[in-house]
């Protein structure tokens, strides 16, 4: 009993920085895992990745002007992310080019600008900090920000749920009964940016997308309905945060990669043993029904 | 003359300045059942998109009388069959016109969905994931969604493709039921015999309207022959169509053509 306590609870009970890290990352899972499910279902999994790069110049500009501070870096990241999301979304909606190409173009430009800005002032250590985050050093401002982002995301998802599902399932149908299709697409892209920005405090721009996509990708192997899929992804995300932080604490590992790798383990396990995974579908059943 | 549900006035629809539906004028009466026929590329689907408003006209107008709710079943559905949803979830999308974004789905809505599934012969399919349906079953589910939409104007783009006899006769029966409920229905179809047998009216398109009115008269051999003579391909050097071009010698023949079509169109409508 004592060992279990020492292993699982003591780190969070004894250290304020661990409590902050835990609450920050759990809040983040609550919002970004359902967003990740929709990203995956819209076949935009890599868009999250691209968008995470797109945030960099804004965050870097904030860093250049105000140093390593949460608020300016976040606002900068938000602006850069929105420009990339709305710009590439608009090109895809209103020209012949598809979203994958326009997104690639916009994020590459954005990433180049970002690296340029970082190099103007910082050393490569600073760049590492921007890219990989510091979940163990979340301050009050950062926690408040993550909390706000979570609330905004969950409320938006609740309001636009039906439109978002319709837009994913049958976009042409939605266009024939409502004018919400295009607005809902952009609202969704805005939520993606918001959550990536929320995540980059804790995990960095590169890994924040991991907490979004890996739980969603894992949940896909377990259920055939979108509501349980979102719930399951959130649970997987939260479990990965707890496990990642504990691993980080006990083995002195960097916290961001530890969280993402925990989710990665769940993903690989789901591929294998999930009800719609390899073993579930490859294994020929020994018996079948007559109808 | 019955009340008009859709009015086309000199409507031209197309892509990149090339017309796919050229100078269509006329009305679709409320409560009518019309088949839209014509070769591939003759503008049938384009016309449907124009009516729904997904495609904006290059010239002219199309107006659907206000207060008419539209249900549209496209030829190439953008439905994502891998989306994690069940048949009931798909059919429940049809509740959008009544409940919109935030309206709560009520008990009677659930009953309407169940009734629609029974009506298309998909009883017991409620919980089936979309990716386990056959082509015909999916088409039935999409018809169920149209049923749930409870629309006044129903547009079906090639609903009979790749469907067995049983499903076909079920779907025809549904269309006839809608017709009896005096909904306005437009159906894109390729099978002339089927059109002659089941549709009171037909519109024959070959980019221009060739004939429009009583289905049997519209599908008369001389009309079908004329419909077959149109060139499907775009001509990049085709003269511009419009009042400025009327004196252009090269454009003369072209204009001659659709004046003639206008005239024949008017005559046939009068005859209908």
């Amino acid at each position: 009993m004592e060992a279990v306590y020492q292993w699982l609870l003591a780190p969070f009970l004894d250290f304020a920085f661990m409590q902050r890290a835990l609450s920050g990352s759990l809040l983040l899972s609550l919002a970004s895992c359902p967003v990740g499910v929709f990203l995956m279902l819209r076949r935009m999994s890599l868009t999250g990745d691209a968008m995470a790069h797109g945030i960099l110049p804004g965050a870097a500009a904030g860093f250049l002007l105000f140093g390593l501070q949460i608020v300016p870096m976040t606002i900068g990241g938000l602006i850069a992310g929105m420009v990339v999301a709305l710009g590439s979304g608009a090109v895809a909606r209103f020209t012949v080019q598809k979203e994958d190409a326009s997104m690639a173009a916009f994020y590459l430009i954005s990433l180049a600008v970002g690296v340029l800005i970082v190099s103007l002032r910082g050393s490569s250590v600073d760049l590492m900090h921007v890219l990989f985050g510091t979940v163990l050093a979340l301050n009050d401002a950062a926690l408040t920000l993550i909390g706000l982002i979570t609330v905004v995301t969950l409320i938006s998802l609740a309001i636009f749920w039906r439109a978002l599902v319709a837009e994913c399932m049958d976009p042409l149908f939605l266009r024939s009964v409502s004018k919400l299709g295009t607005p809902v697409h952009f609202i969704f892209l805005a939520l993606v940016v918001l959550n990536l920005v929320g995540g980059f405090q804790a995990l960095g721009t590169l890994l924040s997308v991991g907490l979004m996509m890996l739980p969603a990708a894992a949940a896909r192997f377990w259920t055939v309905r979108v509501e349980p899929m979102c719930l399951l992804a959130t649970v997987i995300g939260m479990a990965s945060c707890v496990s990642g932080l504990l691993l980080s604490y006990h083995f002195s590992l960097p916290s961001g990669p530890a969280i993402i790798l925990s989710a990665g383990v769940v993903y690989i396990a789901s591929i294998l043993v999930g009800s719609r995974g390899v073993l579930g579908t490859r294994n020929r059943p020994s018996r079948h029904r007559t109808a | 003359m019955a009340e008009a549900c859709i009015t086309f006035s000199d409507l031209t629809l197309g892509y990149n300045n090339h017309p796919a539906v050229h100078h269509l004028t006329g009305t679709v009466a409320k409560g009518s059942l019309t088949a839209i026929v014509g070769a591939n590329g003759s503008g049938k689907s384009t016309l449907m998109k124009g009516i729904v408003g997904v495609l904006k006209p290059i010239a002219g107008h199309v107006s659907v009388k206000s207060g008419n709710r539209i249900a549209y079943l496209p030829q190439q559905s953008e439905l994502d069959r891998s989306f994690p949803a069940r048949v009931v979830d798909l059919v429940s999308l049809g509740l959008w016109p009544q409940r919109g974004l935030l309206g709560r789905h009520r008990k009677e809505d659930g009953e309407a969905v169940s009734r629609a599934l029974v009506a298309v012969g998909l009883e017991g399919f409620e919980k089936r994931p979309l990716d386990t349906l056959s082509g015909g079953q999916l088409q039935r589910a999409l018809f169920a969604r149209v049923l749930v939409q409870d629309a006044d104007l129903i547009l079906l783009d090639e609903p009979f493709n790749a469907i067995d006899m049983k499903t076909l006769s079920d779907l025809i029966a549904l269309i006839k039921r809608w017709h009896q409920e005096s909904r306005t229905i437009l159906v894109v179809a390729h099978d002339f015999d089927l059109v002659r047998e089941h549709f009171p009216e037909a519109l024959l398109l070959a980019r221009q309207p060739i004939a429009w009115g009583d289905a049997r008269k519209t599908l008369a051999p001389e009309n079908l022959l004329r419909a077959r003579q149109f060139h499907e391909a775009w001509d990049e050097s085709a003269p511009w169509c419009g009042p400025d071009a009327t004196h252009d010698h090269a454009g003369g023949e072209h204009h001659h053509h659709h004046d003639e079509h206008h005239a024949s169109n008017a005559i046939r409508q009068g005859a209908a």
Side-chain angles (χ1 to χ4, degrees), chain A residues 43 162 169-170 220 224 276, chain B residues 79-80 82 84 100 103 105 145:
Chain A
R43 303 211 168 78
R162 203 176 283 168
M169 189 153 54
D170 196 346
R220 189 77 170 97
V224 292
R276 290 168 65 90
Chain B
L79 178 75
D80 177 5
S82 67
H105 286 180
R145 185 173 72 184

Side-chain angles (χ1 to χ4, degrees), chain B residues 14 19 40 53 60-61 98 122 134 160 165 194 200 223 249 265-266 268:
Chain B
N40 292 140
H61 303 280
Q98 288 94 335
L122 282 183
S134 76
F160 309 128
M165 293 304 290
L194 181 131
N223 286 334
H249 194 70
N265 189 14
R268 295 200 187 266

Side-chain angles (χ1 to χ4, degrees), chain B residues 245-260:
Chain B
T246 21
H247 301 296
D248 179 1
H249 194 70
E253 194 189 11
H254 162 86
H255 275 273
H256 209 74
H257 261 293
H258 62 74
D259 285 346
E260 187 187 313

